[in-house]
Amino acid sequence: ILQNELTPLNEQQFLRVTKQYLPHLARLCLISTFLEDGIRMWFQWNEQKEYIEATWGCGYFLATCFVLLNLLGQLGGCVLVLSRNFVQHACFGLFGIIALQTVAYSILWDLKFLMRNMALGGGLLLLLAESRSEGKSMFAGVPSMGESSPKQYMQLGGRVLLVLMFMTLLHLDASFFSILQNMVGTALIILVAIGFKTKLAALTLVVWLFAINVYFNAFWTVPAYKPMHDFLKYDFFQTMSVIGGLLLVVALGPGGVSMDEKKKEW
Protein backbone atom coordinates (compact mmCIF):
# COMPACT_ATOMS: atom_id res chain seq x y z
CA ILE A 1 0.00 0.00 0.00
CA LEU A 2 2.85 2.35 0.90
CA GLN A 3 4.45 1.74 -2.48
CA ASN A 4 1.18 2.54 -4.28
CA GLU A 5 0.94 5.82 -2.35
CA LEU A 6 4.52 6.80 -3.08
CA THR A 7 4.28 6.35 -6.87
CA PRO A 8 1.61 9.06 -7.46
CA LEU A 9 3.44 11.27 -4.96
CA ASN A 10 6.72 11.02 -6.88
CA GLU A 11 4.85 11.73 -10.13
CA GLN A 12 3.21 14.79 -8.58
CA GLN A 13 6.56 16.06 -7.26
CA PHE A 14 8.11 15.67 -10.72
CA LEU A 15 5.24 17.53 -12.39
CA ARG A 16 5.35 20.29 -9.75
CA VAL A 17 9.09 20.85 -10.30
CA THR A 18 8.79 20.85 -14.11
CA LYS A 19 5.47 22.72 -14.32
CA GLN A 20 7.10 26.04 -15.25
CA TYR A 21 9.37 24.60 -17.92
CA LEU A 22 7.45 21.68 -19.43
CA PRO A 23 4.94 23.69 -21.54
CA HIS A 24 7.80 25.80 -23.00
CA LEU A 25 9.83 22.69 -23.85
CA ALA A 26 6.72 21.02 -25.30
CA ARG A 27 5.98 23.97 -27.62
CA LEU A 28 9.61 24.18 -28.75
CA CYS A 29 9.67 20.47 -29.60
CA LEU A 30 6.27 20.67 -31.27
CA ILE A 31 7.18 23.45 -33.70
CA SER A 32 10.68 22.10 -34.40
CA THR A 33 9.68 20.29 -37.60
CA PHE A 34 7.96 23.44 -38.95
CA LEU A 35 10.99 25.55 -38.02
CA GLU A 36 13.41 23.13 -39.71
CA ASP A 37 11.23 22.85 -42.81
CA GLY A 38 10.80 26.62 -43.09
CA ILE A 39 14.57 27.12 -42.89
CA ARG A 40 15.07 24.33 -45.46
CA MET A 41 12.70 26.14 -47.83
CA TRP A 42 15.04 29.13 -47.65
CA PHE A 43 18.27 27.20 -48.26
CA GLN A 44 16.74 24.87 -50.88
CA TRP A 45 14.59 27.50 -52.54
CA ASN A 46 15.44 26.57 -56.14
CA GLU A 47 15.34 22.79 -55.56
CA GLN A 48 11.90 22.97 -53.91
CA LYS A 49 10.53 25.31 -56.56
CA GLU A 50 11.82 23.13 -59.41
CA TYR A 51 10.38 19.99 -57.78
CA ILE A 52 6.88 21.48 -57.46
CA GLU A 53 7.04 22.95 -60.97
CA ALA A 54 8.14 19.60 -62.48
CA THR A 55 5.75 17.43 -60.45
CA TRP A 56 2.60 19.48 -60.92
CA GLY A 57 3.41 21.37 -64.13
CA CYS A 58 2.05 24.49 -62.49
CA GLY A 59 4.54 26.97 -63.87
CA TYR A 60 7.19 29.22 -62.32
CA PHE A 61 4.81 31.66 -60.58
CA LEU A 62 2.65 29.11 -58.73
CA ALA A 63 5.69 27.03 -57.73
CA THR A 64 7.31 30.16 -56.29
CA CYS A 65 4.11 31.04 -54.42
CA PHE A 66 4.00 27.52 -52.96
CA VAL A 67 7.56 27.69 -51.59
CA LEU A 68 7.05 31.25 -50.31
CA LEU A 69 3.80 30.28 -48.56
CA ASN A 70 5.51 27.32 -46.89
CA LEU A 71 8.46 29.44 -45.78
CA LEU A 72 6.47 32.36 -44.36
CA GLY A 73 3.60 30.22 -43.03
CA GLN A 74 5.86 27.89 -41.07
CA LEU A 75 8.37 30.42 -39.73
CA GLY A 76 5.60 32.91 -38.93
CA GLY A 77 3.56 30.24 -37.16
CA CYS A 78 6.60 29.19 -35.10
CA VAL A 79 7.24 32.77 -33.98
CA LEU A 80 3.60 33.24 -32.93
CA VAL A 81 3.51 29.94 -31.00
CA LEU A 82 6.77 30.61 -29.14
CA SER A 83 5.77 34.19 -28.32
CA ARG A 84 2.23 33.06 -27.33
CA ASN A 85 0.61 35.60 -29.64
CA PHE A 86 -2.40 34.57 -31.77
CA VAL A 87 -1.61 30.92 -31.01
CA GLN A 88 -4.97 29.67 -32.29
CA HIS A 89 -4.48 31.47 -35.61
CA ALA A 90 -0.95 30.04 -35.83
CA CYS A 91 -2.28 26.50 -35.20
CA PHE A 92 -4.87 26.81 -37.97
CA GLY A 93 -2.18 28.15 -40.31
CA LEU A 94 0.11 25.20 -39.52
CA PHE A 95 -2.82 22.80 -40.04
CA GLY A 96 -3.15 24.34 -43.49
CA ILE A 97 0.57 23.83 -44.18
CA ILE A 98 0.28 20.13 -43.22
CA ALA A 99 -2.72 19.69 -45.55
CA LEU A 100 -0.97 21.55 -48.38
CA GLN A 101 2.23 19.49 -48.09
CA THR A 102 0.25 16.24 -47.82
CA VAL A 103 -1.19 16.90 -51.27
CA ALA A 104 1.81 18.63 -52.89
CA TYR A 105 4.35 15.96 -51.92
CA SER A 106 1.93 13.03 -52.56
CA ILE A 107 2.07 12.02 -48.87
CA LEU A 108 -1.61 11.10 -49.18
CA TRP A 109 -0.63 7.85 -50.92
CA ASP A 110 2.17 6.91 -48.51
CA LEU A 111 0.53 5.40 -45.42
CA LYS A 112 3.57 5.77 -43.16
CA PHE A 113 4.10 9.47 -43.91
CA LEU A 114 0.35 10.13 -43.83
CA MET A 115 0.08 8.64 -40.33
CA ARG A 116 3.03 10.72 -39.16
CA ASN A 117 1.48 13.89 -40.57
CA MET A 118 -1.77 13.06 -38.78
CA ALA A 119 0.20 12.53 -35.55
CA LEU A 120 1.72 15.97 -36.09
CA GLY A 121 -1.81 17.34 -36.45
CA GLY A 122 -2.63 15.69 -33.13
CA GLY A 123 0.15 17.67 -31.49
CA LEU A 124 -1.29 20.87 -32.92
CA LEU A 125 -4.73 19.95 -31.56
CA LEU A 126 -3.22 19.66 -28.08
CA LEU A 127 -1.51 23.03 -28.54
CA LEU A 128 -4.87 24.49 -29.57
CA ALA A 129 -6.42 23.03 -26.40
CA GLU A 130 -3.63 24.57 -24.30
CA SER A 131 -4.22 27.99 -25.88
CA ARG A 132 -7.91 27.73 -24.94
CA SER A 133 -6.85 27.00 -21.33
CA GLU A 134 -4.66 30.10 -21.28
CA GLY A 135 -7.48 32.20 -22.67
CA LYS A 136 -9.89 31.02 -19.99
CA SER A 137 -7.33 31.55 -17.21
CA MET A 138 -7.57 35.31 -17.89
CA PHE A 139 -10.99 35.17 -16.22
CA ALA A 140 -9.83 33.37 -13.08
CA GLY A 141 -12.37 33.68 -10.28
CA VAL A 142 -15.35 33.93 -12.61
CA PRO A 143 -17.83 31.06 -12.09
CA SER A 144 -17.63 28.42 -14.83
CA MET A 145 -20.04 25.77 -16.08
CA GLY A 146 -17.13 23.32 -16.36
CA GLU A 147 -14.57 22.55 -18.96
CA SER A 148 -15.80 23.24 -22.45
CA SER A 149 -16.59 20.26 -24.62
CA PRO A 150 -14.53 21.51 -27.59
CA LYS A 151 -11.38 21.54 -25.49
CA GLN A 152 -12.09 18.06 -24.10
CA TYR A 153 -12.54 16.61 -27.56
CA MET A 154 -9.47 18.42 -28.88
CA GLN A 155 -7.43 16.69 -26.18
CA LEU A 156 -9.03 13.34 -26.98
CA GLY A 157 -8.44 13.79 -30.71
CA GLY A 158 -4.86 14.93 -30.09
CA ARG A 159 -4.12 11.87 -27.93
CA VAL A 160 -5.58 9.44 -30.46
CA LEU A 161 -3.73 11.02 -33.40
CA LEU A 162 -0.41 10.97 -31.54
CA VAL A 163 -0.82 7.20 -31.29
CA LEU A 164 -0.45 6.95 -35.09
CA MET A 165 3.24 7.86 -34.83
CA PHE A 166 3.93 4.76 -32.74
CA MET A 167 2.04 2.52 -35.12
CA THR A 168 4.63 3.42 -37.78
CA LEU A 169 7.40 2.24 -35.43
CA LEU A 170 6.07 -1.29 -34.87
CA HIS A 171 8.33 -4.03 -36.28
CA LEU A 172 6.90 -7.16 -37.87
CA ASP A 173 9.95 -9.41 -37.47
CA ALA A 174 9.89 -12.27 -34.94
CA SER A 175 12.97 -11.37 -32.85
CA PHE A 176 12.56 -11.28 -29.06
CA PHE A 177 13.53 -7.60 -28.84
CA SER A 178 11.03 -6.58 -31.53
CA ILE A 179 8.20 -8.55 -29.91
CA LEU A 180 8.98 -7.03 -26.50
CA GLN A 181 9.19 -3.52 -27.97
CA ASN A 182 5.88 -3.99 -29.81
CA MET A 183 4.11 -5.28 -26.70
CA VAL A 184 5.37 -2.53 -24.40
CA GLY A 185 4.81 0.19 -27.00
CA THR A 186 1.29 -1.02 -27.80
CA ALA A 187 0.36 -1.12 -24.10
CA LEU A 188 1.61 2.44 -23.59
CA ILE A 189 -0.14 3.91 -26.63
CA ILE A 190 -3.42 2.26 -25.58
CA LEU A 191 -3.06 3.84 -22.11
CA VAL A 192 -2.50 7.28 -23.69
CA ALA A 193 -5.40 6.85 -26.13
CA ILE A 194 -7.96 5.84 -23.47
CA GLY A 195 -6.54 8.27 -20.91
CA PHE A 196 -5.56 5.84 -18.15
CA LYS A 197 -2.41 6.65 -16.12
CA THR A 198 -2.00 9.12 -18.94
CA LYS A 199 0.80 11.36 -17.69
CA LEU A 200 3.01 8.46 -16.63
CA ALA A 201 2.39 6.56 -19.90
CA ALA A 202 3.03 9.70 -22.00
CA LEU A 203 6.25 10.45 -20.11
CA THR A 204 7.46 6.89 -20.64
CA LEU A 205 6.68 7.20 -24.36
CA VAL A 206 8.65 10.47 -24.50
CA VAL A 207 11.77 8.74 -23.16
CA TRP A 208 11.30 5.70 -25.40
CA LEU A 209 10.60 7.71 -28.56
CA PHE A 210 13.51 10.09 -27.91
CA ALA A 211 15.91 7.15 -27.56
CA ILE A 212 14.62 5.56 -30.79
CA ASN A 213 14.81 8.91 -32.58
CA VAL A 214 18.43 9.59 -31.64
CA TYR A 215 19.45 6.02 -32.55
CA PHE A 216 17.64 5.56 -35.87
CA ASN A 217 17.47 9.16 -37.19
CA ALA A 218 21.03 10.32 -36.47
CA PHE A 219 21.21 12.57 -39.55
CA TRP A 220 24.36 14.27 -38.21
CA THR A 221 26.30 11.04 -38.93
CA VAL A 222 25.47 11.19 -42.66
CA PRO A 223 27.24 13.69 -44.97
CA ALA A 224 24.99 16.62 -45.92
CA TYR A 225 25.35 15.96 -49.68
CA LYS A 226 23.73 12.51 -49.43
CA PRO A 227 19.92 12.28 -49.88
CA MET A 228 19.67 10.10 -46.75
CA HIS A 229 20.78 13.12 -44.68
CA ASP A 230 17.60 15.02 -45.58
CA PHE A 231 15.35 11.98 -45.07
CA LEU A 232 16.75 11.29 -41.60
CA LYS A 233 16.63 14.99 -40.69
CA TYR A 234 12.97 15.18 -41.73
CA ASP A 235 12.12 12.08 -39.66
CA PHE A 236 14.12 13.35 -36.67
CA PHE A 237 12.36 16.70 -36.38
CA GLN A 238 8.93 15.27 -37.15
CA THR A 239 9.45 12.79 -34.30
CA MET A 240 10.56 15.65 -32.03
CA SER A 241 7.27 17.38 -32.79
CA VAL A 242 5.32 14.30 -31.70
CA ILE A 243 7.45 14.24 -28.53
CA GLY A 244 6.33 17.85 -28.01
CA GLY A 245 2.71 16.73 -28.28
CA LEU A 246 3.29 14.02 -25.68
CA LEU A 247 4.94 16.55 -23.37
CA LEU A 248 1.77 18.65 -23.67
CA VAL A 249 -0.20 15.59 -22.56
CA VAL A 250 2.13 15.33 -19.54
CA ALA A 251 1.73 19.04 -18.79
CA LEU A 252 -2.03 19.38 -19.40
CA GLY A 253 -3.30 15.93 -18.49
CA PRO A 254 -5.68 13.83 -20.60
CA GLY A 255 -8.70 16.15 -20.42
CA GLY A 256 -12.32 15.40 -19.55
CA VAL A 257 -12.86 12.51 -21.97
CA SER A 258 -10.56 10.00 -20.29
CA MET A 259 -10.55 7.20 -17.74
CA ASP A 260 -8.36 9.28 -15.41
CA GLU A 261 -11.06 11.96 -15.30
CA LYS A 262 -13.89 9.44 -14.90
CA LYS A 263 -12.08 7.83 -11.95
CA LYS A 264 -12.48 11.10 -10.02
CA GLU A 265 -16.26 10.78 -10.39
CA TRP A 266 -16.23 7.19 -9.12
Side-chain angles (χ1 to χ4, degrees), residues 7 12 19 33 47 64 103 139 146 150 154 211 222 235 248 266:
T7 303
Q12 288 172 11
K19 185 178 181 181
T33 191
E47 292 92 329
T64 302
V103 175
F139 302 98
M154 282 178 199
V222 179
D235 276 356
L248 280 178
W266 300 341

Side-chain angles (χ1 to χ4, degrees), residues 18-191:
T18 58
K19 185 178 181 181
Q20 294 180 344
Y21 312 103
L22 206 54
H24 299 289
L25 179 61
R27 281 192 296 273
L28 181 61
C29 289
L30 184 56
I31 59 95
S32 62
T33 191
F34 298 106
L35 187 61
E36 185 275 331
D37 197 52
I39 293 172
R40 183 160 55 88
M41 288 290 169
W42 173 263
F43 286 104
Q44 296 182 2
W45 177 276
N46 289 326
E47 292 92 329
Q48 295 293 328
K49 180 171 60 63
E50 288 168 5
Y51 172 82
I52 294 297
E53 189 174 356
T55 303
W56 292 95
C58 57
Y60 175 86
F61 177 74
L62 288 179
T64 302
C65 289
F66 172 84
V67 178
L68 184 63
L69 179 62
N70 273 271
L71 190 154
L72 296 179
Q74 291 184 101
L75 295 184
C78 291
V79 170
L80 292 177
V81 168
L82 290 178
S83 63
R84 297 196 182 194
N85 291 310
F86 304 103
V87 175
Q88 295 188 29
H89 296 82
C91 286
F92 286 121
L94 293 174
F95 275 126
I97 293 292
I98 292 175
L100 183 63
Q101 290 189 352
T102 298
V103 175
Y105 293 109
S106 301
I107 293 173
L108 199 59
W109 316 118
D110 188 318
L111 185 59
K112 178 181 176 181
F113 284 104
L114 178 62
M115 290 170 74
R116 291 191 172 194
N117 265 18
M118 291 174 70
L120 188 57
L124 286 176
L125 266 180
L126 291 168
L127 183 59
L128 200 56
E130 187 208 24
S131 70
R132 289 177 65 91
S133 297
E134 289 180 346
K136 294 179 78 174
S137 69
M138 293 171 59
F139 302 98
V142 177
S144 172
M145 294 299 292
E147 193 176 17
S148 64
S149 292
K151 182 193 166 186
Q152 291 182 16
Y153 290 109
M154 282 178 199
Q155 289 179 279
L156 173 62
R159 291 200 323 268
V160 172
L161 288 174
L162 284 178
V163 163
L164 296 177
M165 167 58 89
F166 296 93
M167 293 177 66
T168 68
L169 299 175
L170 297 178
H171 299 283
L172 300 179
D173 57 273
S175 67
F176 173 76
F177 179 75
S178 293
I179 293 172
L180 180 64
Q181 180 178 317
N182 289 346
M183 289 176 62
V184 174
T186 301
L188 289 171
I189 62 178
I190 289 173
L191 289 177

Side-chain angles (χ1 to χ4, degrees), residues 77 84 90 97 106 108 121-122 141 188 204 208 225 227 233 250 252 256 264-265:
R84 297 196 182 194
I97 293 292
S106 301
L108 199 59
L188 289 171
T204 306
W208 180 49
Y225 62 85
K233 193 175 183 181
V250 176
L252 295 177
K264 297 176 183 178
E265 299 176 6

Side-chain angles (χ1 to χ4, degrees), residues 186-248:
T186 301
L188 289 171
I189 62 178
I190 289 173
L191 289 177
V192 170
I194 66 176
F196 182 69
K197 297 289 183 183
T198 317
K199 291 187 177 184
L200 184 59
L203 190 59
T204 306
L205 281 174
V206 165
V207 175
W208 180 49
L209 188 56
F210 182 75
I212 290 176
N213 197 28
V214 171
Y215 182 77
F216 287 107
N217 295 325
F219 65 89
W220 52 87
T221 63
V222 179
Y225 62 85
K226 291 188 176 182
M228 184 55 68
H229 177 89
D230 279 344
F231 283 117
L232 291 177
K233 193 175 183 181
Y234 173 82
D235 276 356
F236 179 87
F237 282 103
Q238 196 168 49
T239 305
M240 288 302 298
S241 289
V242 174
I243 287 174
L246 286 168
L247 286 173
L248 280 178

Side-chain angles (χ1 to χ4, degrees), residues 159 194-196 198 256-264 266:
R159 291 200 323 268
I194 66 176
F196 182 69
T198 317
V257 187
S258 65
M259 289 187 68
D260 284 342
E261 194 66 27
K262 296 303 177 185
K263 280 195 307 179
K264 297 176 183 178
W266 300 341

